[in-house]
Amino acid sequence: MRGRTGRAGAVVLTALLAAGGCSVDPDGSGGPSAGGGPAPDRRVVSPLRNPEGTRPGLAPVTSDADRAAARAVIERVAVKGPGPRTGYDRDRFGHAWTDTADGVPWARNGCDTRNDLLRRDGRELRFRSGSDCVVIAMTLSDPYTGQRVEWRKEKAAEVQIDHVVPLSYSWRMGAARWPEDKRERFANDALNLLPVLGRANTAKRDSGPAAWLPPNRSVRCAYTLRFAQVTLEYDLPVTAADKAMMLRQCGG
């Protein structure tokens, strides 16, 4: 695993210390708070406590101090108008789910990025016979909808890996000028990747936060905070409308 620069994490820590410390969210779930639903996945972690993206899920950011810390991160994101989509192609970000994108967690571990993410966030994992990499069945608590998904590989598209900051969005905001290895790193960085219900990912498409937010309202601050963490890590700006929406989700 590479040593991340820690820019977003350092800002979070400073904000937390300035606020006098914060307690752990009482409900670590990415699901709705209403009763009667499936039991929450208690392993999921707030982005405030997961600056590398190596821990599972997207837990809600709920306390006043944590939401203030989230706003402090979002405030640092630069604003710029989007460029054209001209020239964008998924292949410009390298082979999908490659294991050879240096500088990201789990690079060159013998397991592709998609399966690394399924192993990170899934529960009750089952692997292909003779493999400790290829996940063929699991249970997922989808952060975007709050639903529990019983996933099987024969219906692979039911769970998709979402780029929190979409590749096309990054292209229009500056990635078109990046070297190929940086784009490949961006496309395979665990910080920017979440396994989610396929239809939620399809609905999002390449939208920024002003145009799309998770249907699960309880994770909207966490989602926009993660969006900010990714843009800070890769020196990407966002549109003015997106930044305003991001701040609004965390009480700004």
Side-chain angles (χ1 to χ4, degrees):
M1 186 181 301
R2 93 301 200 184
R4 188 180 287 279
T5 60
R7 290 179 299 227
V11 172
V12 168
L13 180 58
T14 300
L16 288 172
L17 291 173
C22 307
S23 60
V24 175
D25 294 335
D27 180 2
S29 161
S33 58
D41 184 348
R42 297 291 178 180
R43 303 172 310 137
V44 301
V45 181
S46 163
L48 290 168
R49 298 168 183 85
N50 189 20
E52 295 280 336
T54 55
R55 299 171 69 187
L58 195 67
V61 177
T62 56
S63 74
D64 290 343
D66 280 1
R67 290 168 74 84
R71 292 194 300 274
V73 176
I74 296 169
E75 286 284 9
R76 294 191 66 236
V77 177
V79 169
K80 184 180 177 182
R85 198 173 183 272
T86 307
Y88 170 75
D89 189 281
R90 173 63 180 84
D91 291 344
R92 301 295 294 271
F93 289 79
H95 182 70
W97 312 134
T98 181
D99 185 36
T100 58
D102 291 327
V104 300
W106 309 306
R108 301 181 185 276
N109 68 349
C111 190
D112 64 82
T113 302
R114 176 179 167 85
N115 280 292
D116 283 334
L117 272 294
L118 297 180
R119 291 193 300 174
R120 185 194 68 184
D121 286 23
R123 293 186 298 174
E124 302 168 8
L125 299 173
R126 289 175 50 202
F127 294 93
R128 178 184 293 168
S129 178
S131 172
D132 61 359
C133 168
V134 180
V135 180
I136 61 170
M138 67 173 188
T139 300
L140 177 73
S141 294
D142 170 37
Y144 287 175
T145 65
Q147 295 182 31
R148 178 186 174 99
V149 184
E150 300 290 343
W151 178 82
R152 299 294 181 269
K153 191 172 178 62
E154 53 265 28
K155 294 185 177 180
E158 188 176 6
V159 167
Q160 299 174 14
I161 308 298
D162 179 47
H163 288 92
V164 176
V165 179
L167 301 185
S168 177
Y169 185 98
S170 75
W171 182 266
R172 289 178 287 130
M173 302 307 294
R177 298 185 295 275
W178 290 352
E180 184 176 345
D181 63 336
K182 184 174 180 180
R183 287 197 293 262
E184 185 175 67
R185 188 166 76 248
F186 181 83
N188 290 277
D189 193 337
L191 182 66
N192 192 30
L193 297 171
L194 287 171
V196 299
L197 193 65
R199 63 176 177 268
N201 188 42
T202 300
K204 174 183 172 178
R205 300 174 62 86
D206 62 353
S207 302
W212 186 90
L213 290 167
N216 180 11
R217 291 177 177 271
S218 73
V219 301
R220 287 183 174 180
C221 178
Y223 172 80
T224 57
L225 170 58
R226 174 53 54 81
F227 202 100
Q229 288 175 321
V230 175
T231 60
L232 288 170
E233 181 64 24
Y234 286 87
D235 297 317
L236 278 172
V238 302
T239 68
D242 284 331
K243 184 169 181 177
M245 182 61 74
M246 292 158 73
L247 287 168
R248 193 177 308 156
Q249 300 313 306
C250 295

